[in-house]
Amino acid sequence: MKKSKIKIGLLWHSLTSDNLGVGALTESQIAICSAAAKRAGVDVSFTVIGTSGGRAPTLNNVEIQQGNPVSIRRTILGNAPYLDDIEQCDLVLDIGEGDSFTDIYGLYRFAFLWGSKVGVLMRKRPLILSPQTIGPFNSVITRFLAAQVMKRCEKVFARDELSTSYLDAAGVKKNRAEAIDVAFRLPYKLPEPTIGDTVNIGLNISGLLMSGGYTGANQFGLTVDYKELIEKLLQEWTADQRNTVWLVSHVTPANMDNENDMVSILEVQKKFPGCKVVPKFESPSAAKSFIAGMDFFTGARMHACIAAISSGVPVVPLSYSRKFNGLFNTLEYPWIADGKVDSTEVAVEKILTGFKNRTNLKADALKAKASADLKLQGYENFLVDYFSMLASK
């Protein structure tokens, strides 16, 4: 007898995170799964397991429940409540918050991501790693542990060529595939066109980079002076009265000023009072809908930049990790400033050159969007087949 409903566990997703990037991944994943389920002729429900934040969920007409938080200590003991949630699911899609399956954020965070995967496998649930950055893993031990758990997954989807190459080098070949970041599917509303000669410039300021990373000591090894870069851009743009500069936040956790974009934005506005501060967004889709109205965009939060390019807005991302380079190079989008290679002067010049050539950038952004849509169709097709297989059991 064919199963009519499939229960999907969404591991390392969140609908309440103050990081709109994680929210964008989650809402996009749900949209893709819902489309795949419709094609497969089944109904789906979701259990979300991951970090939580202060934002209210905004999805309607989708059957979703919030699962228990991940506990590594209780996983080891075999009595973690989230494992009971997992056991009720027909399959688990783990997106790793997009870029967290690595050891660059510390061994504690790696242990959380790795241990949660082991817990799913212990409960004998099918585990699929949805499109995400894989690695880097700088330790021999973490490389070994990561490879062993990935080889036991039903499928591992890289979201860029660099991650695919890493998987091949790690011996994860039989079950790996390549797609692209699912946030290219994030729904949004096209804003009303701007009337007049005003040029709307969106600038996302990363509180994390302003703080020097979580350690406060240039954790990501930047070759640019990030604060100086922001000031030079604003000096240039605010000198032209035709420009309207919008300061855009994308990560706003309470009680974490060193990561909160809005804290840094309000400090910057004191020096550049002519800039407009965009209020905190209610949802990832609201953020993308606003960014879609910009004539040019730049930022160091990757999903803010994805919101731009996936809505056809000319964008120059400022990279601080290989997740940027891997994703945008995979889409053959060359307009990127590298904060780990370029000097401050070179990075500023790249962004300003992109701004001056934004007509060309828009054409390249539309090509990149078309490429991403094709790659995500492959991911959706896989889910259609997998849902159909589960339904027939």
Side-chain angles (χ1 to χ4, degrees), residues 310-369:
S310 64
S311 57
V313 173
V315 57
V316 179
L318 176 67
S319 166
Y320 68 89
S321 80
R322 75 176 177 88
K323 66 181 181 181
F324 284 83
N325 308 69
L327 185 135
F328 287 97
N329 289 342
T330 298
L331 295 173
E332 298 182 355
Y333 187 81
W335 306 95
I336 186 168
D338 196 327
K340 290 172 69 71
V341 174
D342 298 335
S343 66
T344 304
E345 291 72 21
V346 168
V348 168
E349 185 58 31
K350 283 183 176 180
I351 295 169
L352 293 178
T353 298
F355 173 69
K356 292 170 186 173
N357 291 278
R358 55 190 179 275
T359 301
N360 294 333
L361 268 70
K362 186 174 185 67
D364 287 342
L366 291 172
K367 289 178 185 176
K369 180 183 182 302

Side-chain angles (χ1 to χ4, degrees), residues 190-255:
L190 274 172
E192 294 293 327
T194 303
I195 299 174
D197 297 328
T198 298
V199 179
N200 288 297
I201 302 169
L203 172 61
N204 161 244
I205 296 178
S206 168
L208 187 61
L209 296 191
M210 277 288 199
S211 302
Y214 296 108
T215 65
N218 193 17
Q219 181 181 5
F220 301 109
L222 298 185
T223 53
V224 302
D225 183 320
Y226 185 66
K227 291 181 180 179
E228 183 183 346
L229 178 143
I230 295 297
E231 290 199 5
K232 284 181 178 292
L233 291 175
L234 290 177
Q235 286 167 0
E236 177 76 19
W237 285 329
T238 57
D240 188 337
Q241 293 185 349
R242 292 171 297 181
N243 297 334
T244 300
V245 181
W246 301 86
L247 304 181
V248 179
S249 63
H250 214 251
V251 179
T252 55
N255 304 317

Side-chain angles (χ1 to χ4, degrees), residues 46-264:
F46 302 93
T47 300
V48 179
I49 302 169
T51 54
S52 59
R55 193 169 56 83
T58 54
L59 284 185
N60 298 314
N61 304 319
V62 182
E63 190 176 338
I64 303 173
Q65 70 177 39
Q66 180 64 50
N68 287 286
V70 176
S71 168
I72 298 302
R73 184 180 66 83
R74 296 190 67 175
T75 298
I76 294 170
L77 295 174
N79 64 352
Y82 92 94
L83 291 176
D84 295 331
D85 297 329
I86 291 293
E87 199 159 14
Q88 301 304 312
C89 297
D90 295 298
L91 78 158
V92 176
L93 300 177
D94 178 347
I95 209 160
E97 294 190 334
D99 68 340
S100 290
F101 196 34
T102 176
D103 60 9
I104 65 171
Y105 299 117
L107 292 178
Y108 182 78
R109 190 166 175 181
F110 169 80
F112 251 102
L113 272 290
W114 180 82
S116 63
K117 293 167 178 52
V118 172
V120 174
L121 296 171
M122 284 168 51
R123 292 298 174 101
K124 302 188 186 310
R125 296 293 88 190
L127 176 61
I128 295 166
L129 300 195
S130 294
Q132 61 189 276
T133 300
I134 306 293
F137 300 100
N138 296 316
S139 157
V140 174
I141 294 174
T142 57
R143 278 199 298 272
F144 173 79
L145 293 174
Q148 292 309 303
V149 81
M150 286 190 291
K151 288 176 181 178
R152 295 175 62 191
C153 293
E154 293 287 306
K155 201 80 170 178
V156 178
F157 284 92
R159 69 177 178 183
D160 58 71
E161 293 173 346
L162 284 176
S163 293
T164 300
S165 297
Y166 176 82
L167 288 170
D168 287 345
V172 184
K173 296 182 179 181
K174 293 181 180 179
N175 61 337
R176 71 110 175 108
E178 186 180 304
I180 204 70
D181 195 292
V182 298
F184 276 86
R185 282 279 193 94
L186 181 67
Y188 71 104
K189 294 181 180 178
L190 274 172
E192 294 293 327
T194 303
I195 299 174
D197 297 328
T198 298
V199 179
N200 288 297
I201 302 169
L203 172 61
N204 161 244
I205 296 178
S206 168
L208 187 61
L209 296 191
M210 277 288 199
S211 302
Y214 296 108
T215 65
N218 193 17
Q219 181 181 5
F220 301 109
L222 298 185
T223 53
V224 302
D225 183 320
Y226 185 66
K227 291 181 180 179
E228 183 183 346
L229 178 143
I230 295 297
E231 290 199 5
K232 284 181 178 292
L233 291 175
L234 290 177
Q235 286 167 0
E236 177 76 19
W237 285 329
T238 57
D240 188 337
Q241 293 185 349
R242 292 171 297 181
N243 297 334
T244 300
V245 181
W246 301 86
L247 304 181
V248 179
S249 63
H250 214 251
V251 179
T252 55
N255 304 317
M256 291 183 68
D257 287 0
N258 66 330
E259 191 177 4
N260 193 321
D261 297 352
M262 188 61 78
V263 171
S264 295

Side-chain angles (χ1 to χ4, degrees), residues 266-326:
L266 294 175
E267 283 298 313
V268 168
Q269 197 206 25
K270 291 178 182 177
K271 192 166 186 178
F272 297 93
C275 295
K276 295 182 180 293
V277 174
V278 184
K280 184 177 173 181
F281 296 109
E282 292 183 2
S283 70
S285 290
K288 184 173 180 177
S289 298
F290 179 86
I291 291 170
M294 297 294 99
D295 297 301
F296 178 80
F297 191 83
T298 187
R301 296 292 189 183
M302 193 171 82
H303 280 99
C305 295
I306 289 175
I309 196 170
S310 64
S311 57
V313 173
V315 57
V316 179
L318 176 67
S319 166
Y320 68 89
S321 80
R322 75 176 177 88
K323 66 181 181 181
F324 284 83
N325 308 69

